Amino acid sequence: MDTILVANAGSSSVKFQVFGIGQDGSLKRQIKGQMDGVGSRPRLRATGADGAVLIDRSYENEAVRDVAAAITTAGAWLRGELKIDPIAIGHRVVHGGPDYDRPVRVDQNVLAQLEKYISLAPLHQPYNLAPIRSILSRFPDRPQVACFDTAFHRGHGDLADRYAIPEYLYAEGVRRYGFHGLSYEYIASILPDVAPGIASKRVIVAHLGSGASMCALDNGRSIESSMGFTALDGLPMGTRPGQIDPGVVLYLISEKGMAPADIQNFLYRECGLKGLSGVSNDMRELLTSDSPRAALAVDYFVYRASLFAGMLAAALQGVDALVFTAGVGENSAPVRAAIAAKLGWLGVSIDADANEKHARLVSRPESRVAVYVLPTDEELMIARHTWSLLSKSSKKHERVS
């Protein structure tokens, strides 16, 4: 069976999944794994479709010093021990800039263009591109597809897309992109099946995790997002501040003498829940901590999420459903309950028992807004895009021939 490999590379880990391609073009997840501890304590773990452990192996630091080496090691295991040789590799790439509004097959020219956006997503972009570069050098003919977190939002109208800045900056690409698009696209794709009554209506999706944002869907299309030019904007996150007055950045420059690189590191790594709490960037730890600052961080996160829900409701001119997804959204009943409590004015009312059980539908029957908890699947979305692009390319080649 032909397979597609999906890679999602971070700063110290590479998550990967292998999907088999059925004769009818359907995709079935076969393997789910990750190489973490890159550069410190490398460890490769993977499970099969049935959950059985396929590998749990540690490596010397020198053997897996960076993300490129991690994907090489994982690939060697897949080919050598499992005899899996994917026909294509799909990658999550956070920022597509103004040039890419849909998935694209990557060559050296595309890679060079995507490298221009590293400064706009320094926590993600360089690591997203590292395995692409490595595979291009080793297997230049192997199709690789970049799938962008910004692409799903590129249909926004001018009012949602622009900042109040001169036109020449907009022409250069300074605009509100929005992120977590692969997650929102997946949720939009499954709503007709799991919640047909709301699929074509006004839906707010809250992707709440270490990175967090919210999106307004109208008939399955993104019309507004809490994030903007970079993945710093909007909701507070694990280590990122979310919405902040640009004057704060000017203050850091003029009064604190901070250089651009220092400010970038500060905003991406020292703020958010970590900065507020002084305890942790992990919501699970904050919820169990007895520190007043930890409680403040949780309350702040909930407060800001409720404010952005109101903003998105205004963009939609009402709301019919609220969907929680991603790590915190899917697994933290207390956070969902607290956000829902602040949205009572919108008609949100959740069932405490259903919420504690992480049921799919957690709203009460009388709630004017249906509230769902739906697991996201960005990797499946990437596999779908990769297979679709590969299939179109194959058909086009057949027509030309």
Side-chain angles (χ1 to χ4, degrees), residues 34-350:
Q34 70 180 59
M35 171 76 82
D36 52 20
V38 174
S40 56
R41 296 180 179 179
R43 182 182 179 189
L44 175 60
R45 291 175 287 173
T47 56
D50 59 357
V53 175
L54 300 176
I55 188 173
D56 189 343
R57 185 180 300 167
S58 296
Y59 296 81
E60 295 295 327
N61 291 348
E62 293 74 19
V64 190
R65 299 183 65 88
D66 54 27
V67 170
I71 197 70
T72 298
T73 302
W77 169 70
L78 288 169
R79 292 192 308 273
E81 298 186 30
L82 298 189
K83 308 304 178 185
I84 290 176
D85 194 21
I87 62 171
I89 302 109
H91 300 266
R92 178 196 179 201
V93 177
V94 165
H95 215 305
D99 299 303
Y100 300 106
D101 60 358
R102 66 198 66 191
V104 62
R105 181 166 173 174
V106 184
D107 56 20
Q108 292 292 352
N109 291 331
V110 171
L111 180 61
Q113 188 68 19
L114 295 177
E115 287 173 340
K116 296 179 181 179
Y117 311 134
I118 285 176
S119 64
L120 305 186
L123 284 188
H124 304 90
Q125 197 87 348
Y127 310 109
N128 298 159
L129 300 182
I132 298 177
R133 188 181 303 107
S134 176
I135 294 168
L136 267 177
S137 67
R138 292 166 56 84
F139 306 100
D141 296 326
R142 186 68 52 90
Q144 296 191 82
V145 176
C147 301
F148 304 104
D149 263 337
T150 50
F152 185 62
H153 304 294
R154 289 300 304 281
H156 287 179
D158 267 357
L159 297 182
D161 197 38
R162 290 176 176 264
Y163 291 108
I165 56 177
E167 177 67 20
Y168 72 90
L169 287 171
Y170 179 80
E172 290 177 11
V174 182
R175 60 190 69 178
R176 299 185 67 250
Y177 290 98
F179 296 86
H180 296 128
L182 290 163
S183 175
Y184 295 127
E185 185 178 11
Y186 176 77
I187 295 298
S189 76
I190 65 171
L191 283 179
D193 293 322
V194 302
I198 65 166
S200 62
K201 295 184 178 180
R202 301 165 298 182
V203 181
I204 295 173
V205 185
H207 177 106
L208 308 181
S210 179
S213 69
M214 298 173 77
C215 173
L217 298 179
D218 188 5
N219 195 22
R221 293 177 57 255
S222 170
I223 66 162
E224 182 60 273
S225 170
S226 62
M227 279 185 166
F229 182 52
T230 70
L232 284 172
D233 201 8
L235 299 179
M237 290 161 263
T239 60
R240 286 169 271 171
Q243 187 180 53
I244 190 169
D245 185 336
V248 174
V249 178
L250 297 177
Y251 176 84
L252 296 176
I253 296 170
S254 63
E255 301 299 323
K256 296 297 183 181
M258 293 178 69
D262 297 326
I263 294 174
Q264 177 175 284
N265 184 71
F266 175 74
L267 292 176
Y268 277 97
R269 292 181 169 87
E270 300 299 328
C271 296
L273 300 179
K274 177 183 177 181
L276 268 177
S277 71
V279 174
S280 174
N281 64 339
D282 191 315
M283 181 64 76
R284 293 167 296 188
E285 293 183 25
L286 297 178
L287 287 168
T288 58
S289 173
D290 57 4
S291 165
R293 287 183 60 189
L296 170 66
V298 174
D299 290 344
Y300 183 85
F301 182 84
V302 168
Y303 174 66
R304 302 303 295 185
S306 68
L307 290 184
F308 274 96
M311 179 194 81
L312 295 177
L316 289 165
Q317 291 294 284
V319 59
D320 300 299
L322 171 65
V323 175
F324 289 100
T325 193
V328 175
E330 294 170 27
N331 300 300
S332 181
V335 171
R336 291 195 302 262
I339 293 173
K342 286 191 173 295
L343 297 179
W345 65 275
L346 271 177
V348 174
S349 177
I350 65 171

Side-chain angles (χ1 to χ4, degrees), residues 351 354-355 359-363 370-373:
D351 182 294
N355 186 48
R360 174 181 289 176
L361 179 64
V362 297
S363 50
V371 183
Y372 287 84
V373 179

